[in-house]
PDB file of all heavy atoms in Angstrom:
ATOM      1  N   THR A   6      -4.952 -39.328  25.309  1.00 42.00           N
ATOM      2  CA  THR A   6      -4.482 -38.010  25.116  1.00 42.00           C
ATOM      3  C   THR A   6      -4.912 -37.381  23.814  1.00 42.00           C
ATOM      4  O   THR A   6      -5.392 -36.308  23.788  1.00 42.00           O
ATOM      5  CB  THR A   6      -2.929 -37.971  25.227  1.00 42.00           C
ATOM      6  OG1 THR A   6      -2.525 -38.599  26.331  1.00 42.00           O
ATOM      7  CG2 THR A   6      -2.351 -36.488  25.020  1.00 42.00           C
ATOM      8  N   THR A   7      -4.844 -38.123  22.789  1.00 45.00           N
ATOM      9  CA  THR A   7      -5.281 -37.665  21.615  1.00 45.00           C
ATOM     10  C   THR A   7      -6.845 -37.386  21.492  1.00 45.00           C
ATOM     11  O   THR A   7      -7.317 -36.370  20.927  1.00 45.00           O
ATOM     12  CB  THR A   7      -4.954 -38.604  20.387  1.00 45.00           C
ATOM     13  OG1 THR A   7      -3.656 -38.918  20.419  1.00 45.00           O
ATOM     14  CG2 THR A   7      -5.428 -38.105  19.025  1.00 45.00           C
ATOM     15  N   ARG A   8      -7.652 -38.350  22.087  1.00 50.00           N
ATOM     16  CA  ARG A   8      -9.051 -38.209  22.066  1.00 50.00           C
ATOM     17  C   ARG A   8      -9.412 -36.910  22.954  1.00 50.00           C
ATOM     18  O   ARG A   8     -10.242 -36.078  22.533  1.00 50.00           O
ATOM     19  CB  ARG A   8      -9.650 -39.382  22.850  1.00 50.00           C
ATOM     20  CG  ARG A   8     -11.204 -39.394  22.686  1.00 50.00           C
ATOM     21  CD  ARG A   8     -11.648 -40.684  23.472  1.00 50.00           C
ATOM     22  NE  ARG A   8     -11.162 -41.810  22.736  1.00 50.00           N
ATOM     23  CZ  ARG A   8     -11.161 -43.056  23.159  1.00 50.00           C
ATOM     24  NH1 ARG A   8     -11.736 -43.285  24.318  1.00 50.00           N
ATOM     25  NH2 ARG A   8     -10.812 -44.030  22.440  1.00 50.00           N
ATOM     26  N   ARG A   9      -8.714 -36.608  24.091  1.00 50.00           N
ATOM     27  CA  ARG A   9      -8.931 -35.362  24.812  1.00 50.00           C
ATOM     28  C   ARG A   9      -8.645 -34.240  23.998  1.00 50.00           C
ATOM     29  O   ARG A   9      -9.427 -33.168  23.992  1.00 50.00           O
ATOM     30  CB  ARG A   9      -8.210 -35.366  26.134  1.00 50.00           C
ATOM     31  CG  ARG A   9      -8.659 -36.422  27.017  1.00 50.00           C
ATOM     32  CD  ARG A   9      -7.662 -36.562  28.103  1.00 50.00           C
ATOM     33  NE  ARG A   9      -8.158 -37.603  29.136  1.00 50.00           N
ATOM     34  CZ  ARG A   9      -7.313 -38.104  30.043  1.00 50.00           C
ATOM     35  NH1 ARG A   9      -6.040 -37.827  30.076  1.00 50.00           N
ATOM     36  NH2 ARG A   9      -7.701 -39.080  30.840  1.00 50.00           N
ATOM     37  N   THR A  10      -7.567 -34.337  23.230  1.00 48.00           N
ATOM     38  CA  THR A  10      -7.194 -33.177  22.356  1.00 48.00           C
ATOM     39  C   THR A  10      -8.241 -32.887  21.309  1.00 48.00           C
ATOM     40  O   THR A  10      -8.500 -31.747  21.001  1.00 48.00           O
ATOM     41  CB  THR A  10      -5.753 -33.364  21.677  1.00 48.00           C
ATOM     42  OG1 THR A  10      -4.930 -33.632  22.735  1.00 48.00           O
ATOM     43  CG2 THR A  10      -5.252 -32.305  20.733  1.00 48.00           C
ATOM     44  N   VAL A  11      -8.664 -33.902  20.543  1.00 49.00           N
ATOM     45  CA  VAL A  11      -9.732 -33.719  19.668  1.00 49.00           C
ATOM     46  C   VAL A  11     -10.980 -33.092  20.218  1.00 49.00           C
ATOM     47  O   VAL A  11     -11.521 -32.208  19.677  1.00 49.00           O
ATOM     48  CB  VAL A  11     -10.018 -35.051  18.983  1.00 49.00           C
ATOM     49  CG1 VAL A  11     -11.272 -34.987  18.063  1.00 49.00           C
ATOM     50  CG2 VAL A  11      -8.773 -35.641  18.146  1.00 49.00           C
ATOM     51  N   ARG A  12     -11.358 -33.622  21.422  1.00 53.00           N
ATOM     52  CA  ARG A  12     -12.563 -33.083  22.049  1.00 53.00           C
ATOM     53  C   ARG A  12     -12.396 -31.573  22.473  1.00 53.00           C
ATOM     54  O   ARG A  12     -13.256 -30.699  22.194  1.00 53.00           O
ATOM     55  CB  ARG A  12     -13.028 -33.795  23.257  1.00 53.00           C
ATOM     56  CG  ARG A  12     -13.511 -35.275  22.969  1.00 53.00           C
ATOM     57  CD  ARG A  12     -13.724 -36.008  24.203  1.00 53.00           C
ATOM     58  NE  ARG A  12     -14.228 -37.369  24.016  1.00 53.00           N
ATOM     59  CZ  ARG A  12     -14.318 -38.413  24.891  1.00 53.00           C
ATOM     60  NH1 ARG A  12     -13.870 -38.120  26.135  1.00 53.00           N
ATOM     61  NH2 ARG A  12     -14.831 -39.569  24.575  1.00 53.00           N
ATOM     62  N   ALA A  13     -11.072 -31.290  22.813  1.00 50.00           N
ATOM     63  CA  ALA A  13     -10.884 -29.947  23.269  1.00 50.00           C
ATOM     64  C   ALA A  13     -10.821 -28.947  22.065  1.00 50.00           C
ATOM     65  O   ALA A  13     -11.447 -27.905  22.116  1.00 50.00           O
ATOM     66  CB  ALA A  13      -9.463 -29.833  23.984  1.00 50.00           C
ATOM     67  N   ALA A  14     -10.314 -29.548  20.962  1.00 49.00           N
ATOM     68  CA  ALA A  14     -10.252 -28.732  19.707  1.00 49.00           C
ATOM     69  C   ALA A  14     -11.514 -28.459  19.198  1.00 49.00           C
ATOM     70  O   ALA A  14     -11.943 -27.297  18.699  1.00 49.00           O
ATOM     71  CB  ALA A  14      -9.403 -29.375  18.672  1.00 49.00           C
ATOM     72  N   ILE A  15     -12.486 -29.477  19.214  1.00 49.00           N
ATOM     73  CA  ILE A  15     -13.819 -29.244  18.725  1.00 49.00           C
ATOM     74  C   ILE A  15     -14.618 -28.271  19.636  1.00 49.00           C
ATOM     75  O   ILE A  15     -15.339 -27.506  19.085  1.00 49.00           O
ATOM     76  CB  ILE A  15     -14.522 -30.600  18.663  1.00 49.00           C
ATOM     77  CG1 ILE A  15     -13.801 -31.596  17.679  1.00 49.00           C
ATOM     78  CG2 ILE A  15     -16.011 -30.479  18.256  1.00 49.00           C
ATOM     79  CD1 ILE A  15     -14.384 -32.973  17.637  1.00 49.00           C
ATOM     80  N   VAL A  16     -14.379 -28.415  20.930  1.00 47.00           N
ATOM     81  CA  VAL A  16     -15.162 -27.533  21.829  1.00 47.00           C
ATOM     82  C   VAL A  16     -14.646 -26.108  21.634  1.00 47.00           C
ATOM     83  O   VAL A  16     -15.490 -25.141  21.613  1.00 47.00           O
ATOM     84  CB  VAL A  16     -14.931 -28.046  23.344  1.00 47.00           C
ATOM     85  CG1 VAL A  16     -15.460 -26.949  24.272  1.00 47.00           C
ATOM     86  CG2 VAL A  16     -15.627 -29.290  23.452  1.00 47.00           C
ATOM     87  N   LEU A  17     -13.332 -25.905  21.452  1.00 51.00           N
ATOM     88  CA  LEU A  17     -12.817 -24.604  21.463  1.00 51.00           C
ATOM     89  C   LEU A  17     -12.889 -23.948  20.054  1.00 51.00           C
ATOM     90  O   LEU A  17     -12.611 -22.739  19.896  1.00 51.00           O
ATOM     91  CB  LEU A  17     -11.238 -24.661  21.973  1.00 51.00           C
ATOM     92  CG  LEU A  17     -11.134 -24.933  23.369  1.00 51.00           C
ATOM     93  CD1 LEU A  17      -9.557 -25.000  23.770  1.00 51.00           C
ATOM     94  CD2 LEU A  17     -11.686 -23.866  24.331  1.00 51.00           C
ATOM     95  N   LEU A  18     -13.139 -24.748  19.023  1.00 51.00           N
ATOM     96  CA  LEU A  18     -13.153 -24.331  17.664  1.00 51.00           C
ATOM     97  C   LEU A  18     -14.055 -23.042  17.360  1.00 51.00           C
ATOM     98  O   LEU A  18     -13.508 -22.123  16.945  1.00 51.00           O
ATOM     99  CB  LEU A  18     -13.551 -25.522  16.758  1.00 51.00           C
ATOM    100  CG  LEU A  18     -13.552 -25.247  15.239  1.00 51.00           C
ATOM    101  CD1 LEU A  18     -12.045 -24.734  14.929  1.00 51.00           C
ATOM    102  CD2 LEU A  18     -13.907 -26.316  14.373  1.00 51.00           C
ATOM    103  N   PRO A  19     -15.251 -23.092  17.851  1.00 46.00           N
ATOM    104  CA  PRO A  19     -16.128 -21.822  17.694  1.00 46.00           C
ATOM    105  C   PRO A  19     -15.476 -20.607  18.436  1.00 46.00           C
ATOM    106  O   PRO A  19     -15.406 -19.549  17.890  1.00 46.00           O
ATOM    107  CB  PRO A  19     -17.380 -22.226  18.330  1.00 46.00           C
ATOM    108  CG  PRO A  19     -17.458 -23.768  18.414  1.00 46.00           C
ATOM    109  CD  PRO A  19     -16.038 -24.143  18.577  1.00 46.00           C
ATOM    110  N   LEU A  20     -14.925 -20.825  19.636  1.00 47.00           N
ATOM    111  CA  LEU A  20     -14.248 -19.678  20.324  1.00 47.00           C
ATOM    112  C   LEU A  20     -13.012 -19.191  19.467  1.00 47.00           C
ATOM    113  O   LEU A  20     -12.874 -17.940  19.340  1.00 47.00           O
ATOM    114  CB  LEU A  20     -13.814 -20.075  21.725  1.00 47.00           C
ATOM    115  CG  LEU A  20     -14.929 -20.590  22.573  1.00 47.00           C
ATOM    116  CD1 LEU A  20     -14.327 -20.926  23.863  1.00 47.00           C
ATOM    117  CD2 LEU A  20     -15.946 -19.480  22.732  1.00 47.00           C
ATOM    118  N   VAL A  21     -12.253 -19.998  18.986  1.00 50.00           N
ATOM    119  CA  VAL A  21     -11.181 -19.678  18.302  1.00 50.00           C
ATOM    120  C   VAL A  21     -11.446 -18.874  16.921  1.00 50.00           C
ATOM    121  O   VAL A  21     -10.942 -17.896  16.544  1.00 50.00           O
ATOM    122  CB  VAL A  21     -10.212 -20.830  17.898  1.00 50.00           C
ATOM    123  CG1 VAL A  21      -9.025 -20.446  17.094  1.00 50.00           C
ATOM    124  CG2 VAL A  21      -9.629 -21.411  19.180  1.00 50.00           C
ATOM    125  N   LEU A  22     -12.584 -19.515  16.287  1.00 48.00           N
ATOM    126  CA  LEU A  22     -12.964 -18.890  15.097  1.00 48.00           C
ATOM    127  C   LEU A  22     -13.471 -17.494  15.363  1.00 48.00           C
ATOM    128  O   LEU A  22     -13.356 -16.600  14.573  1.00 48.00           O
ATOM    129  CB  LEU A  22     -14.112 -19.747  14.418  1.00 48.00           C
ATOM    130  CG  LEU A  22     -13.688 -20.941  13.779  1.00 48.00           C
ATOM    131  CD1 LEU A  22     -14.936 -21.818  13.361  1.00 48.00           C
ATOM    132  CD2 LEU A  22     -12.647 -20.685  12.667  1.00 48.00           C
ATOM    133  N   ALA A  23     -14.156 -17.362  16.541  1.00 44.00           N
ATOM    134  CA  ALA A  23     -14.582 -16.008  16.911  1.00 44.00           C
ATOM    135  C   ALA A  23     -13.514 -14.994  17.067  1.00 44.00           C
ATOM    136  O   ALA A  23     -13.647 -13.792  16.909  1.00 44.00           O
ATOM    137  CB  ALA A  23     -15.527 -16.022  18.076  1.00 44.00           C
ATOM    138  N   GLY A  24     -12.415 -15.522  17.517  1.00 47.00           N
ATOM    139  CA  GLY A  24     -11.281 -14.568  17.855  1.00 47.00           C
ATOM    140  C   GLY A  24     -10.254 -14.546  16.778  1.00 47.00           C
ATOM    141  O   GLY A  24      -9.139 -14.127  16.961  1.00 47.00           O
ATOM    142  N   CYS A  25     -10.584 -14.897  15.507  1.00 55.00           N
ATOM    143  CA  CYS A  25      -9.507 -14.881  14.456  1.00 55.00           C
ATOM    144  C   CYS A  25      -9.084 -13.389  14.188  1.00 55.00           C
ATOM    145  O   CYS A  25      -9.842 -12.429  14.321  1.00 55.00           O
ATOM    146  CB  CYS A  25     -10.193 -15.375  13.200  1.00 55.00           C
ATOM    147  SG  CYS A  25     -10.195 -17.272  13.182  1.00 55.00           S
ATOM    148  N   ALA A  26      -7.803 -13.278  13.954  1.00 62.00           N
ATOM    149  CA  ALA A  26      -7.253 -11.996  13.654  1.00 62.00           C
ATOM    150  C   ALA A  26      -7.823 -11.382  12.465  1.00 62.00           C
ATOM    151  O   ALA A  26      -8.150 -12.060  11.613  1.00 62.00           O
ATOM    152  CB  ALA A  26      -5.700 -12.049  13.679  1.00 62.00           C
ATOM    153  N   SER A  27      -7.810  -9.981  12.449  1.00 74.00           N
ATOM    154  CA  SER A  27      -8.236  -9.366  11.328  1.00 74.00           C
ATOM    155  C   SER A  27      -7.234  -8.232  10.919  1.00 74.00           C
ATOM    156  O   SER A  27      -6.576  -7.777  11.817  1.00 74.00           O
ATOM    157  CB  SER A  27      -9.734  -8.937  11.412  1.00 74.00           C
ATOM    158  OG  SER A  27      -9.772  -8.000  12.494  1.00 74.00           O
ATOM    159  N   LEU A  28      -7.391  -7.738   9.758  1.00 75.00           N
ATOM    160  CA  LEU A  28      -6.487  -6.542   9.294  1.00 75.00           C
ATOM    161  C   LEU A  28      -7.023  -5.311   9.942  1.00 75.00           C
ATOM    162  O   LEU A  28      -8.195  -5.070  10.294  1.00 75.00           O
ATOM    163  CB  LEU A  28      -6.608  -6.410   7.769  1.00 75.00           C
ATOM    164  CG  LEU A  28      -6.125  -7.605   6.994  1.00 75.00           C
ATOM    165  CD1 LEU A  28      -6.422  -7.353   5.472  1.00 75.00           C
ATOM    166  CD2 LEU A  28      -4.625  -7.733   7.104  1.00 75.00           C
ATOM    167  N   SER A  29      -6.040  -4.458  10.361  1.00 76.00           N
ATOM    168  CA  SER A  29      -6.377  -3.331  11.152  1.00 76.00           C
ATOM    169  C   SER A  29      -6.844  -2.189  10.184  1.00 76.00           C
ATOM    170  O   SER A  29      -6.614  -2.295   8.901  1.00 76.00           O
ATOM    171  CB  SER A  29      -5.100  -2.762  12.001  1.00 76.00           C
ATOM    172  OG  SER A  29      -4.118  -2.468  11.108  1.00 76.00           O
ATOM    173  N   GLN A  30      -7.340  -1.040  10.699  1.00 74.00           N
ATOM    174  CA  GLN A  30      -7.838  -0.023   9.786  1.00 74.00           C
ATOM    175  C   GLN A  30      -6.610   0.703   9.106  1.00 74.00           C
ATOM    176  O   GLN A  30      -6.863   0.987   7.944  1.00 74.00           O
ATOM    177  CB  GLN A  30      -8.686   0.955  10.774  1.00 74.00           C
ATOM    178  CG  GLN A  30      -9.942   0.372  11.141  1.00 74.00           C
ATOM    179  CD  GLN A  30     -10.950   0.120   9.968  1.00 74.00           C
ATOM    180  OE1 GLN A  30     -10.940   0.798   8.925  1.00 74.00           O
ATOM    181  NE2 GLN A  30     -11.874  -0.904  10.191  1.00 74.00           N
ATOM    182  N   ASP A  31      -5.615   0.954   9.824  1.00 77.00           N
ATOM    183  CA  ASP A  31      -4.512   1.792   9.266  1.00 77.00           C
ATOM    184  C   ASP A  31      -3.291   1.018   8.981  1.00 77.00           C
ATOM    185  O   ASP A  31      -2.262   1.378   8.514  1.00 77.00           O
ATOM    186  CB  ASP A  31      -4.089   2.818  10.317  1.00 77.00           C
ATOM    187  CG  ASP A  31      -3.535   2.232  11.504  1.00 77.00           C
ATOM    188  OD1 ASP A  31      -3.637   1.011  11.914  1.00 77.00           O
ATOM    189  OD2 ASP A  31      -2.949   2.967  12.387  1.00 77.00           O
ATOM    190  N   GLY A  32      -3.416  -0.346   8.976  1.00 77.00           N
ATOM    191  CA  GLY A  32      -2.276  -1.259   8.607  1.00 77.00           C
ATOM    192  C   GLY A  32      -1.129  -1.063   9.494  1.00 77.00           C
ATOM    193  O   GLY A  32       0.003  -1.436   9.171  1.00 77.00           O
ATOM    194  N   GLY A  33      -1.345  -0.748  10.814  1.00 81.00           N
ATOM    195  CA  GLY A  33      -0.161  -0.549  11.738  1.00 81.00           C
ATOM    196  C   GLY A  33       0.581   0.660  11.598  1.00 81.00           C
ATOM    197  O   GLY A  33       1.746   0.638  11.881  1.00 81.00           O
TER     198      GLY A  33
END
Side-chain angles (χ1 to χ4, degrees):
T6 303
T7 305
R8 186 176 300 166
R9 291 168 184 164
T10 303
V11 172
R12 289 174 179 172
I15 294 174
V16 171
L17 293 176
L18 183 59
L20 299 177
V21 175
L22 288 173
C25 280
S27 59
L28 297 171
S29 61
Q30 292 290 333
D31 64 349

